[in-house]
Amino acid sequence: MIDSHEQLFDLFFYQQKKKEKMDEEKVRLLRDLALVKGDARGQLEYGVWLLNEKGDAEALSLFHKCIEETKGEESMRKIYGSACYALGFAYEVGRGVEQDSCEGLRWLRLAMEAGNGQAKALLRRRRIEFWRRRKLD
């Protein structure tokens, strides 16, 4: 069982899985891809970095842009699902935005529908936790 939101946060933010920090050059390149060139994958990765390293709300606008650019594009389905997951997760744990579980679940469902396995696993854990709490009440 997951004990804290920080443990959940680490499930998605792959930079933390390896415990490696991105060097300044890679951050600069991602920023350029995301903000100057409007690349969807760059928006996703730079947004993840912003949210993870700085807790910056700008990440959410990058996720929204990424979602808008990849919505309905079959070739971009994985990036779309990951952006929906990142946005849902940010709302779920209140990172870079005020915590809102309903909004988080909405985005997590969209991610799951796009085939994101992390969203599916997180929603499954949430459902199990919900029923465990119901039994205790």
Side-chain angles (χ1 to χ4, degrees), residues 89-102:
F89 202 88
Y91 277 106
E92 186 75 14
V93 299
R95 184 87 174 234
V97 67
E98 188 173 327
Q99 187 175 5
D100 184 342
S101 292
C102 292

Side-chain angles (χ1 to χ4, degrees), residues 43-56:
Q43 291 167 344
L44 174 63
E45 290 189 19
Y46 185 59
V48 167
W49 181 83
L50 277 175
L51 201 59
N52 196 33
E53 295 296 321
K54 302 192 182 291
D56 194 331

Side-chain angles (χ1 to χ4, degrees), residues 75-94:
S75 64
M76 301 292 252
R77 186 178 177 127
K78 187 173 182 177
I79 293 172
Y80 172 80
S82 293
C84 288
Y85 178 78
L87 192 55
F89 202 88
Y91 277 106
E92 186 75 14
V93 299

Side-chain angles (χ1 to χ4, degrees), residues 5 60 64 67 81-95 97-113 116 118-120 122-123 126:
H5 286 306
L60 278 72
H64 280 289
I67 288 166
S82 293
C84 288
Y85 178 78
L87 192 55
F89 202 88
Y91 277 106
E92 186 75 14
V93 299
R95 184 87 174 234
V97 67
E98 188 173 327
Q99 187 175 5
D100 184 342
S101 292
C102 292
E103 188 68 7
L105 287 173
R106 182 172 83 86
W107 288 108
L108 289 170
R109 279 192 205 110
L110 287 172
M112 185 183 71
E113 289 168 7
N116 185 284
Q118 292 170 308
K120 185 176 181 179
L122 180 55
L123 289 170
R126 291 290 185 235

